[in-house]
Amino acid sequence: MRKQGIWLNISSRNDDLSQLIEEYSEQFNLSKADTVAEILRAYPKLLAYKHRVMEQESRSFGRIFSNAV
């Protein structure tokens, strides 16, 4: 049985990504494939966190200027 694989082709305009993956894989002490998998798994959590922070900032911004009129 053959292993399935996904190839990541990085264009020349994004050539810094290969260096970033290398740095993160050393930092996480993981293979490059596992590093990319960890980043992809963390991405939805990052988006949810960003959304919560933006909502909190919007609420606090509204409180600051609610008495301005």
Side-chain angles (χ1 to χ4, degrees):
M1 183 175 197
R2 275 177 69 181
K3 285 187 175 182
Q4 289 184 339
I6 296 175
W7 293 89
L8 183 62
N9 187 9
I10 299 173
S11 70
S12 59
R13 64 184 160 179
N14 295 319
D15 61 352
D16 62 323
L17 291 181
S18 60
Q19 182 62 33
L20 281 173
I21 293 169
E22 181 76 32
E23 290 173 12
Y24 284 136
S25 69
E26 290 174 5
Q27 190 176 10
F28 298 153
N29 197 25
L30 296 171
S31 69
K32 291 178 186 176
D34 289 337
T35 300
V36 171
E38 285 295 318
I39 292 169
L40 290 174
R41 286 187 186 108
Y43 187 70
K45 294 175 188 173
L46 175 65
L47 290 178
Y49 175 75
K50 179 182 174 184
H51 184 68
R52 281 195 311 270
V53 168
M54 290 177 70
E55 282 181 352
Q56 290 174 349
E57 287 178 350
S58 175
R59 279 191 229 129
S60 63
F61 186 74
R63 276 187 251 134
I64 290 171
F65 291 104
S66 64
N67 299 329
V69 182

